[in-house]
Amino acid sequence: MKENIVQLSQMMNITNHGHILYIYESIEDYIENASSYIFTGIEQGHHILFIENKEIFDRISLKLQEILSLDQMKSVHFFDNYDFYRLYGDFQYDLIVQHFSKIIHQFKDKSLTVRTWANVDWKEQDHLISKLTTFEKLADHSVQTSNLISVCAYNGHKISAALQNSMLKSHEYFMTDKELVKSSLYNKRSVIFPSIYEQKEHSKLKDQLQATKHQLRSFIKENSDPIVIYDLHDRVVSINDAFVSTFGFTSNEVIGLNVTDLPIIPIERIFEANLSKSYAILGEKIKGYETIRKTKDGRTLFIILSSFPLLNEDSTPNGWAVIYKDITDKKEAQELLIKSEKLSIAGELAAGIAHEIRNPITTIKGFLQLLQASGYEKQTYYDIMKSEIDRIELILSELLMLAKPQAVHFAPKDIKTLVKDMITLLNPQAIMNNVQIRTDFVHEEVSVMCEENQLKQVFINFIKNALEAMPNGGNLIIKLITTDKELLIRFIDEGCGIPKHLLSKLGQPFYTTKEKGTGLGFMVSKRIIENHQGTVEITSEVNKGTVIDVKLPL
């Protein structure tokens, strides 16, 4: 037999009354506990009034028939809980308690000691929580006045923690599948007949609740953002004035509509309504979700949506609300600013290209005029013209690489191997510059989703920059550092460094600290890393060196 039923039997011998709240989770444990309760009660010569589902009672009876005689089984009086609790309609708790009291008195008239066990059953309905709470308060009064030991069983999967705590106030004991303890919240004095002080406190709380409700209505009505309130059946029950002025639909046009029929929601966005509803049912919120909605005159508004559940006093959902914030003007201003910035950048880029290409073209044009006037060839002039044409090709190729969309095929690659390959490629140039390349790598393979050739280009650019910054030799240290979320590739040189006021200009087209640079190499490298969802950071100190940190997600 279960230990908690043994405890209950001991309590039966000590006292002739007790009100027990039983919250069960396992139906098998429930049947075992109920069987033990009946068995121990009959052993003490009691009659058992058992209010239960017929199917479960049959299972309990089969178990009892193995240990009780037919005469003993006659002491178990069964009532179908469906009929018992619905005999007077939708859980009329006062009539149910009266019916219960009449049955008990029938046993008392025969001088029989009776113990009760009831698995409470109900149909979902309005104000059910308050009905159950009041029912248990009345039942406790009946148990105390009738000197009963009574178990009220509830399915733990059907009641909330808030309701459970509320009912503990009207039960002396609390039982689970595994234990029986004293109720920490039981307050017999205020179960049925509250004091004058308590009545005043209740009235005060009621007034406060009314004031809070009034404040909430005022908040919704006067709010500058559109608000929609839905009931548990996803029907619109209320909208505020801001909703009417923003979307153009009146209360008569939308109240009573299902959320999926609300005309402000475009067809392709209906899934968002179902998502908000699902979150509300789970008691969760949605904050700052950006989407679009339609007005009555067909305009599209950019909005930020927030939704949240509306809860009863016992923390159960009673509906849900959605707040819309119109950001159309802000969105249009951002788009205008972006277009303006694009035009500005395009203008700066065009001016830079014109300036950079005009110089070599002017040189070429001048030498061609000299050659035409002199009538003879000079190799020096041809070499200079070739050099200038090569410079134009370099500028154009880097511009095309920056502007033209590249076909990117990401695949997992070992970054340690890629960096080593680039070091091997550029090591002869490092030796010629009297630069020693040192590595500090993690031991394991570091695999990153990337476009291999593009990352090779980045590593070549940064290593060459470091070599060119150390014409008198030095050390270039390349480190690979991993964390849980990212890989850090750090290039540390001992070159001339870059002044702080020039660091912010790096990445601008045609801005370079090198005599023959175009300023596009770093811009291209930065764009490649950003396309890999990474970042590039540069720190530098004049005459001490430069550190470039490349961070890539793992």
Side-chain angles (χ1 to χ4, degrees), residues 32 74 90 124 168 196 227 272 281 302 355 419 426:
E32 180 68 27
K74 292 177 181 178
D90 290 341
E124 292 299 329
L168 281 174
I196 295 174
I227 298 177
E272 295 171 350
I281 291 171
F302 293 94
H355 175 75
V419 175
L426 295 172

Side-chain angles (χ1 to χ4, degrees), residues 410 458 523-536 550-552:
F410 285 86
V458 172
M523 180 185 278
V524 171
S525 298
K526 190 169 182 291
R527 174 69 63 83
I528 290 172
I529 296 301
E530 288 173 349
N531 288 343
H532 283 72
Q533 308 302 313
T535 60
V536 179
V550 176
K551 295 179 181 178
L552 294 171

Side-chain angles (χ1 to χ4, degrees), residues 511-553:
Y511 178 81
T512 179
T513 58
K514 295 188 286 188
E515 183 180 349
K516 294 186 178 181
T518 65
L520 297 173
F522 181 76
M523 180 185 278
V524 171
S525 298
K526 190 169 182 291
R527 174 69 63 83
I528 290 172
I529 296 301
E530 288 173 349
N531 288 343
H532 283 72
Q533 308 302 313
T535 60
V536 179
E537 297 176 3
I538 298 181
T539 55
S540 187
E541 193 171 345
V542 176
N543 297 324
K544 286 193 176 181
T546 300
V547 177
I548 300 178
D549 283 344
V550 176
K551 295 179 181 178
L552 294 171

Side-chain angles (χ1 to χ4, degrees), residues 246-247 249 263-269 272 290-304 325-332:
T246 300
F247 296 109
F249 293 98
I264 69 168
I265 306 177
I267 294 175
E268 68 275 13
R269 296 284 178 170
E272 295 171 350
E290 191 170 324
T291 183
I292 60 171
R293 290 293 181 264
K294 293 286 186 180
T295 64
K296 190 173 182 179
D297 58 9
R299 291 179 295 117
T300 297
L301 299 183
F302 293 94
I303 61 102
I304 289 179
K325 189 171 189 64
D326 184 4
I327 59 167
T328 305
D329 292 341
K330 181 180 177 182
K331 199 79 173 176
E332 289 175 350

Side-chain angles (χ1 to χ4, degrees), residues 281-329:
I281 291 171
L282 296 173
E284 298 182 8
K285 306 173 185 177
I286 295 177
K287 288 185 178 180
Y289 177 76
E290 191 170 324
T291 183
I292 60 171
R293 290 293 181 264
K294 293 286 186 180
T295 64
K296 190 173 182 179
D297 58 9
R299 291 179 295 117
T300 297
L301 299 183
F302 293 94
I303 61 102
I304 289 179
L305 177 154
S306 297
S307 71
F308 51 91
L310 301 175
L311 306 178
N312 285 320
E313 59 272 15
D314 61 350
S315 299
T316 58
N318 190 35
W320 50 293
V322 179
I323 300 178
Y324 299 104
K325 189 171 189 64
D326 184 4
I327 59 167
T328 305
D329 292 341

